[in-house]
Amino acid sequence: MSDEMKIGAYICKGCGIGDRLNTQQMATIAEREAKANVVREHDYLCNADGVAMIQKDIDEEGVNRVAIIACSRRAKTEAFNFDGVAVIRGNIREGVIWVRPDTEEAQETTQEMAEDYTRMAVFEARYQTPPKPSGQAGRNPHLLVVGGGISGMTAAIEAAKAGYQVTLVEKEAELGGTAGKLFKRVPNAHPFKDPMDTGVEALKAAIEADDRITVHTSSTITKTSGAPGRFSVDITRESGETITENVGAIIQASGFKPYDANNLPELGYGKSPDVVTQIELEALAKAANGGPIKRPSDGKEVESVVFVQCAGQRSDKEGHLPYCSGFCCNASIKQAMYFKDANPNVDTVVLYTDLRTPGAGGEDFYRAGQEKGVIFTKGTVSEVETGGGLKVKFKDLILDEDTEAQPDLVVLATGTVPNSGVDIEEVPQNEPGEWESDPNSVLNLAYRQGKDLPLLKHGFNDSHFICFPYETRRTGIYTAGPVRRPMDIQQAIEDATGAALKSIQAIENAAQGRAAHPRSGDLSYPSFRKEGCTQCKRCTVECPFGAIDEDEERYPQFNESRCRRCGTCMGACPVRVISFENYSVDSVGQQIKNIEIPDEFDEKPRILVLACENDAYPALDMAAMKGIEYSAFARVIPVRCLGSVNTIWVTDALNTGYDGVVLMGCQKGENYQCHFVKGSEMAHYRMSKVDDTLEQLNLEKERVETYEVAITDVERAPKLINDMAETIEKIGMSPFKF
Amino acid sequence: MSNLNTQMIEKYRNSFLREVEANVEEGEWVKMCMQCGVCSGSCPFGPHWEHPPQEIFMMIRAGKRDDVLTSDSMWMCTSCYNCIVRCPRGLPITHIMHGLAHYAHRLGLAPKENPTHKFAIKFWDNLTRTGRVNELKLGLALYFMNGFSEGIKTSLKMKDIGLGMWKTKRLSPMEIVGGHKCKDVSGLHKILAKAREIEESKAQKFSG
Amino acid sequence: MSEIVATNQTILVVGGGISGMTAALEAAECGKQVILLEKNPSLGGRVSQLYRYFPKMCHPTCGVEINYRRIKANRNLRVITMAEVASVSGDEGNYQVKVKISPRYVNENCTACGECSKAVEAEFDDEYNYGLGKRKGAYLPYAMAYPQRYVIDPRILGSDDAGKAKAACKYDAIDLEQQEQEVDLNVGAIIWATGWRPYDAAKIQPYGYDRIANVITSVEFERMADPYGPTGGKILRPSDGKEAKDIAFIQCAGSRDRNHLKHCSRICCMASLKQTHYVREKYGDDGKATIYYIDIRAIDRIDDFHRKVKEDPNVTFVKSKVASIVEDKATGNPVLRGVNTEGYHRYENPHDLVVLAVGMEPSVPADQFPADVTINEEGFIEPTSQGAIFAAGCSSDALDVNRAVQSATASALRAIQVVNRVAGMEG
Amino acid sequence: MAKKEYSFYPGCSSQKAASASNYQTSVLTMCETLDVQLNEIPDWNCCSASIGYAGGGELPRLALSARNIALSEQANPGQDIVATCAACWLATKETQERLHDDSSLMEETNQALAEAGLEVQADGNIRHMVEVLIEDFGFDELGKHVKKPLEGIKIAGYVGCQTNRPFGIAGESFENPMYLDKLVETMGADPVENYDKKVQCCGGALAFSEPDKSQALIKEIIEAAYDGGADMIVTPCPVCQMNVEVYQGQINQKYNTKFEIPVVYYSQLMSVAYGAGVKEAGLDGQVIRATKLEEIARK
């Protein structure tokens, strides 16, 4: 295929388009005004004949930019799927005829809408290059797992089973993590009745036997640099000896540390050796090895034990954990069984407020505990007195009375605190060229934005997305196990296996230069013109994924495989030097500029709508399917994320004579739904600054509105456009019409 | 306090739950309650129980032996089986209530003046005498269970019912002198005596 | 369908809900060949019928849209709808799967223009809305449906409507002659993601779902809250269409109950907590919710959501499994009877509407499973130690969306391990 | 249809001059039409119902029912035991199941029975008469024998507790069993729809010891029947029949109501529909006369 640009514009007449619009006129515009090289109309473009017609042009005419002027980009994607060329969709079905009434009086404005979309499609095509991988990364089928507990070992084994090399780094001298300290674990299979072997030894043996897995114990990560496909990791032994490994992806399975029970003096911890945490009880049970468990103070065989659930958890008190650790209910049942299995006459009482034993296995296990004689009492403990024998004072919530128990031993279910390294909001990264490793960091990332993964909530490194639990904010680095969210062993195993899959996927994506979620498969990547760059750092700071570093001269360094292609950097750049092959300041800017702006006195305003392709644009599509109308003066352009909107588009539009601009992005704030985390937030912030520009232009602020629009805002999204039309009617047309 | 009661207190000092498990019909189910309360909400006599069934289970777990055994709550069970069919854990609640009532009676702790307690004893005595219930005698015994003058009052109050039943041949004054009975009453008595003996020897074994 | 190419390096995913889509996409985005089967005319599964997700209160449609976009963009993935597995034979690395494909009567020419639907008169209960509304005999399962292609309900075949639909289509997309097909697929590994169905609330007899109009299920309530659901997003009483402002939520409706489902369905507590938001969203301070529960299972970091709801003065928590519901015939109010077990307070509470938080039951009954897997007492697939049929999502346990997706992602790797072994691929 | 034979356990209340003697009369009439032969268990004894628990411990109570089963096995081998009284059915069936499932209980029970030279196997079926009608005949067959449809009578089907729980009738729910309604329809009468007290407890045996509490329940049962427009109530249980019928006078005094609703057995409805007279249908045993039924019976 020659490099010469050849644009084909294809106008469909199906689905009523031909009945409602003068497609011939549109074809003329595509050819004469927009200068498409090949222009064709078709009665039914998406059928085999229509598709063949386009393919023929690609093959025979050398068409390499295909502008399909038909239905929405969300429709008929299987049909309009051509190799090696850029495909652009002009939306005249959902975007025009389905949102406009089929009346004579509406005909003129509807036709104008369609003509503009035709121009826009061809102009967008003109500023497209079919993306090719940059070749920045090669394939490195090797992954790093940080943490040698159940999660880390599982991730390593599962990745190795798929044929990948693994380097496993554990800071302790032994693999096993917390699970390695357990006597037994909660069962994971039918009949869910008895504590079972932890499986840690089997995992260790599997790792030992697998020559694809290399283990570094007593080691930590002192520096991680690079990007998916080409990470470089410094692994430092206790001795200070450091080796460097190159890996394609990273799994952080750094686990948790037990909550510090010293924060719970009211529950007797630290005052009596016979008040222990769950993890301390495991040590006693290990020592007993199936025999009677003895209490720490005097070695007496325990005859009665009380388990206090939610000790320091699910509480707003200072120093307490605001969350539920998820596994402790089942863990206490298991531990009560340690006593009961050794001697059924031991009294075991679990004091709880909500017993949380979910799923098939959970309820069976709860029942099994009851069958063994474990007593469950709904109650809240106020105090554990330790002077001369233990006294657990609690309120029995069912019998509605204050009462007490005097057990030999008290076990506190204290929950977990994630081992997530340093909080990058609090601990700034070293300046470029001044690297120093932080002993509190897990990964010691050399990323400009900080040494560890950003935290989500309560110190956990979870994804914010319900449907996409692995989407951390650092591409190619996945967290697994209880560092991500509180979880039990069974879930940690599932989680680690899933994280291994994502790491492998990251490796394969990086190898081919493809983007990861949510623009999976996208081959475009950001490039920048160094000569125009003012080193303002906005791109580096605002990138939601920490993809951009700074070199020592303080120029941005793009790391293609860390990039998610959201374009937030492009939106941020005040001098507009950042662009993607298929998405740039021009590819959108030219669409904005190349529409017909009617004369001020025509009473035909123009409203630019920049709609996020993830939520707002589909919402408008659905509105169209439901026949919800909106103003014929709107011209909607989908954007990758509102974060990619460069203010120049807005000011250019206003300068060109648009009367209003509506920006539609996703929800921001704590429960953000922006798939690129901060894009919507950034856009709102930037648009607040546009107000100054408006003032300079002597334009009303109401001419630019930024909204959060959900995909379900099927009625609201059109209404927001109509609201703008009304506003314009009130405040008048823009004075900037030429 | 009955001898048996004293023995039981000694034996199960620490755990009323274990005492119930060992000695009460279906008592081993008490520990399986998951505290949902559906039994208590389902009972047609629910408002009249001082301690509805789930609370009794919780009291057993909490070791409130006296409170449970002297309670008149279990004696409110109408044997409607609502609780049983709704219990998510399949506890035979009706039977546990009967079992607790029986156990309380055996230990001499059941409330003496509870009408159902009295009636239930009389019913048993009535039926075991001949092998079949004599409704007239049972009724009269019931009316007079609170003493003679109370009995006259009750009888008068109930006379319309008696009269109606008599008129429709669903009650016969002749029953007072004879009535239906099993032919092999002595065999039945032997069976019951043996059954009681086996049961008591088991209790002895537990308490010994 | 001779064009379906599958080999022993292909991964078959059965079920196109959130778990199946995820498993299929994650594997395909690793470069594997994947076939995704769905028995309904559209992908999306149960999540497509939810209004919002807990705890973020975001819309499931959003994630589904992203997944559809991923599917459209991925050439390694082949989606076959209206397809069910009839049988599976063979072994790890080499399965033979018989697939039955029901006719849609609409071919790929369909542009989703909707003319056929307008032409048809017959209406049927709308499955998407759990029968709360009607849809036409020619229909798009729901606005976001993928494939975005209409379906002809077989019940209109042979009627005038069938002819009308055909006549209305300008694109020759309606093919009334389509027949059921059976195709044989050779695949290396199978991911089973057939998900769950809501437990049949009519079986919970004390709650009178089959007798009392104003007793509905939690899944129906989702449709009701959805602005594009059968009531246009209004929370209304089925009996008289009046606004339902005082709503009772009954937990463990069919779960944790040996008379019904023995297991805890995990999601219902959070779902009800979420639904109290709907009540407040629609009715503000006039909206009242009461949650009747045994244990509130707001597990792990989302317990803060639970605690926030608890702070809402308009939401009341009653620790009680409701004993029974009767209908107040004068008002149509369901009256809940039971005992608040915290102190044993009896109640007889009338509410405008009762929402039963129904449990999750595996979609495929244990005795109808077409393949050889181990199924536990609850009907879920146990983790296998042999073979290459891997459960994903709610066919493996009662899971929330987040965990279902985790499970699906893990199952994708397990399948990849098998096909990589078949291919002799080393990393 | 060929003659069907069952081992019959009538129970104390069905005896001559006992509270449900009219039930027995109508059952026998009904069985004649259906060609059912009931072979009474010789020398049967009381089951101790569900109130015997205070005096009788677990084993003595089981022994009572076990004796009946043993006698049935001896005299009517291979025949299902059929009871007409809910309490009899329940106690016997529970005993059968518990002995069957618990070998040590079985052993102890047989030890006791041996005192009277008896032995029990407890592997047969224990059935309620209603079960026999529904399962061995079915509504279609039962309807075929109708000679005088009970037209124009509205009847509330009051199922009560122990016929319904814990065993119930196969295919019926505990909360809303429909078989009485279907039977009423089959006999040509109109069932009260959505009779929501159909499984409410009448106080059972506690009607004697706790009359006030029980009568409050009975009042609701009657009230709901009236609300549904019922002419009469039909029930399969002698305790229910007795409690709901005979306390109406006392309830009227206490609550200032004017209840006077007949309470009949299903077997009486069937007898009348099958052409029996007042006496054969046991209608002369009604304390509150079921005049509408009597009218048909006299036709």
Side-chain angles (χ1 to χ4, degrees), chain A residues 345 347 352 363 366-367 370-373 375-378 396 398-399 401, chain B residues 14-15 17-18 21 31-35 54-55 58-59 61-62 64 89:
Chain A
N345 288 323
D347 284 322
Y352 72 96
E363 206 59 20
Y366 174 25
R367 244 189 337 263
Q370 288 180 299
E371 271 159 18
K372 289 184 181 186
I375 299 300
F376 294 85
T377 300
K378 177 155 173 147
D396 185 322
I398 298 291
L399 297 179
E401 63 183 14
Chain B
N14 288 325
S15 177
L17 175 63
R18 244 170 273 150
E21 286 181 337
K31 59 178 185 274
M32 298 308 292
C33 169
M34 66 167 181
Q35 314 177 20
Q54 188 216 327
E55 189 176 20
M58 295 303 114
M59 289 164 76
R61 291 184 192 179
K64 295 175 182 289
R89 282 295 182 77

Side-chain angles (χ1 to χ4, degrees), chain A residues 283-317:
Chain A
L284 296 179
K286 258 195 163 176
N289 196 26
I293 293 173
K294 295 175 180 136
R295 69 180 180 192
S297 60
D298 56 5
K300 171 185 175 286
E301 285 182 13
V302 173
E303 287 171 29
S304 58
V305 55
V306 167
F307 293 85
V308 179
Q309 298 309 110
C310 304
Q313 301 189 63
R314 298 174 62 196
S315 155
D316 288 326
K317 272 194 220 156

Side-chain angles (χ1 to χ4, degrees), chain C residues 237-249:
Chain C
R237 295 173 15 135
S239 69
D240 50 17
K242 281 190 197 150
E243 291 185 331
K245 295 181 176 173
D246 176 0
I247 301 183
F249 294 89

Side-chain angles (χ1 to χ4, degrees), chain A residues 223-225 429 435 443-448 450-451 549 562:
Chain A
K223 187 173 187 178
T224 303
S225 59
Q429 180 60 288
W435 177 256
L443 294 175
N444 272 306
L445 291 168
Y447 289 20
R448 187 67 189 99
K451 285 191 162 64
D549 293 333
R562 284 194 218 161

Side-chain angles (χ1 to χ4, degrees), chain B residues 149-165:
Chain B
S149 64
E150 192 68 13
I152 296 293
K153 258 192 259 169
T154 317
S155 301
L156 284 174
K157 210 168 102 188
M158 299 301 280
K159 85 174 180 326
D160 288 349
I161 291 177
L163 218 56
M165 297 297 276

Side-chain angles (χ1 to χ4, degrees), chain D residues 37 54 65 71 79 103 111 121-122 136 164 169 182 190 205 217 224 266 285:
Chain D
Q37 181 176 324
S65 290
L71 290 170
Q79 292 174 13
S103 56
Q111 239 179 301
Q121 306 281 336
D136 297 4
N164 190 43
I169 306 298
K182 283 186 222 156
D190 298 326
L217 298 177
Y266 62 91

Side-chain angles (χ1 to χ4, degrees), chain A residues 426-487:
Chain A
E426 308 285 325
V427 182
Q429 180 60 288
N430 307 116
E431 289 302 308
E434 296 172 17
W435 177 256
E436 204 177 325
S437 116
D438 184 330
N440 295 317
S441 168
V442 175
L443 294 175
N444 272 306
L445 291 168
Y447 289 20
R448 187 67 189 99
Q449 287 185 8
K451 285 191 162 64
D452 276 306
L453 301 181
L455 305 177
L456 178 64
K457 210 171 190 186
H458 313 315
F460 290 102
N461 264 323
D462 200 359
S463 145
H464 190 54
F465 301 103
I466 289 153
C467 333
F468 307 110
Y470 292 103
E471 295 314 317
T472 60
R473 286 163 55 186
R474 295 293 179 264
T475 312
I477 306 177
Y478 297 95
T479 52
V483 69
R484 204 158 80 67
R485 64 188 293 178
M487 58 178 80

